[in-house]
Amino acid sequence: MGDWFHRNITEPGKLPLLLALLAFVVTFLVTRTITRLIRAGKGPFGNVQAGGVHIHHVVPGVVLTVIGGFAAVAGGRHGFGSALAAVVFGIGAGLVLDEFALILHLDDVYWTQAGRRSVEVVVLTAALVGLLLLGFSPFGVNGLSDDEVQNRGTALATIGGNFLFALVALGKGKIRMALFGVIVPLVALVGALRLARPGSPWARRFYRRRPRARARAGLRAYHHDRRWAGPARRFQDWIGGTPDPTPTPPQPPTRDSR
C-alpha cells in the first residue's frame, strides 16, 4: 500500500490534489451536518449575523478559495506549503459549492427544491477529482501506448476526437456524460451516439422535422427519469437534507352555485 501510494500519489505530485479533495468532502459533510442541526433547532450552532445581515458560509468560502488558490500556484506541487494551500483551497471550495444554488439563483434557496443543485455539483465535482486521482488523464488519453505517446499526431487526434464527442453529448443535453467523458474514455462516445434529450439544442435542430425521433427521444427520457429520479432524490436527501415542501398557491374563491 505504501509503495502504491508513493508511486501513484506522492511521486506524480498528486498529494495536494488528494488533500484538497479530502478537505472538500469533509468540509461539505460537516457544513451540511451543522446546517441541518440549525434547521432542526438542535445543538449549540446558529446562523452568523453581522449588523443584522445573515453571513452565508459562501463568503468565507470565497476568501479561503482565493487564498488557497494563489498560495497553491506560488507553492508548486511539493512541500508543506503546497499541502497546506491545497487544504485551504479544498475547505473554501467546499463552502462555496455547498451554496452553489444560492450563487446560481442569487437567492437563498438552500432548503428549497432549487437548492438540490448544490448537492449535485458537489457530488459531481468530488467524482471528477476522484477520477483524476485514480489515474485518468484529461480527454481519455491515459490508455495510449509508448509508441502512441511519441506519435503526437495520434495523441492530438485522440484528444480532439474525444473532445468533439463530449461537445456532441453536451449538445444532446447529456451534461454528466459530457463531463465524465472528458476524463473517462468512451463515455463521451456513448453520450454522442444516444438519442438527444427533448428540448436540448441537438433535438431542436435535428429532430424538428423528424416526429419519430422526437417521440423516441421523449419516451426514452421519460423512462430514464422515471427510473432514476426517485433514487437520485433519496440520495440527495440523505446527503443534503430534505428540502422544504413547495407551498401550494392560494386558490381563488368559488361562487356558491345556489
Side-chain angles (χ1 to χ4, degrees):
M1 180 64 182
D3 181 64
W4 178 91
F5 186 86
H6 175 76
R7 185 175 65 255
N8 294 277
I9 301 297
T10 306
E11 188 176 6
K14 290 184 178 181
L15 182 59
L17 184 62
L18 174 62
L19 294 175
L21 176 60
L22 293 176
F24 173 79
V25 173
V26 171
T27 299
F28 170 75
L29 294 177
V30 171
T31 303
R32 281 283 163 168
T33 300
I34 293 176
T35 54
R36 292 171 77 167
L37 289 174
I38 294 174
R39 186 190 189 193
K42 301 178 180 179
F45 307 104
N47 293 324
V48 178
Q49 303 281 342
V53 178
H54 176 200
I55 305 299
H56 293 272
H57 48 269
V58 67
V59 177
V62 170
V63 175
L64 292 176
T65 302
V66 172
I67 294 175
F70 278 110
V73 172
R77 296 192 300 173
H78 300 277
F80 176 77
S82 176
L84 179 61
V87 172
V88 173
F89 177 82
I91 295 173
L95 294 173
V96 170
L97 292 189
D98 183 55
E99 293 201 308
F100 173 82
L102 181 147
I103 302 173
L104 179 64
H105 295 278
L106 294 179
D107 192 13
D108 191 359
V109 295
Y110 195 85
W111 292 119
T112 67
Q113 194 72 20
R116 290 179 179 271
R117 291 295 181 189
S118 298
V119 179
E120 293 177 0
V121 170
V122 167
V123 173
L124 184 61
T125 301
L128 290 173
V129 177
L131 288 174
L132 289 175
L133 279 172
L134 290 176
F136 291 103
S137 300
F139 307 108
V141 296
N142 58 292
L144 296 177
S145 64
D146 294 337
D147 293 336
E148 289 174 324
V149 170
Q150 293 177 0
N151 188 343
R152 296 182 180 273
T154 302
L156 290 176
T158 303
I159 293 173
N162 202 73
F163 185 70
L164 179 62
F165 292 143
L167 288 179
V168 173
L170 183 63
K172 288 189 171 184
K174 304 178 184 299
I175 301 176
R176 293 180 180 86
M177 296 191 75
L179 291 175
F180 281 105
V182 171
I183 297 177
V184 184
L186 301 181
V187 173
L189 176 60
V190 173
L193 293 178
R194 299 187 67 183
L195 286 171
R197 289 189 63 87
S200 64
W202 185 280
R204 292 196 301 267
R205 175 65 178 84
F206 295 103
Y207 296 169
R208 183 171 50 184
R209 299 181 180 180
R210 298 170 58 191
R212 182 175 296 183
R214 288 201 308 271
R216 289 176 56 205
L219 184 62
R220 175 170 290 183
Y222 169 76
H223 286 300
H224 177 274
D225 294 343
R226 184 179 181 182
R227 179 179 182 182
W228 295 107
R233 183 171 58 252
R234 289 190 292 270
F235 178 69
Q236 292 175 1
D237 291 346
W238 177 69
I239 294 179
T242 305
D244 295 329
T246 304
T248 304
Q251 299 295 325
T254 58
R255 293 184 179 181
D256 194 340
S257 59
R258 291 177 298 174

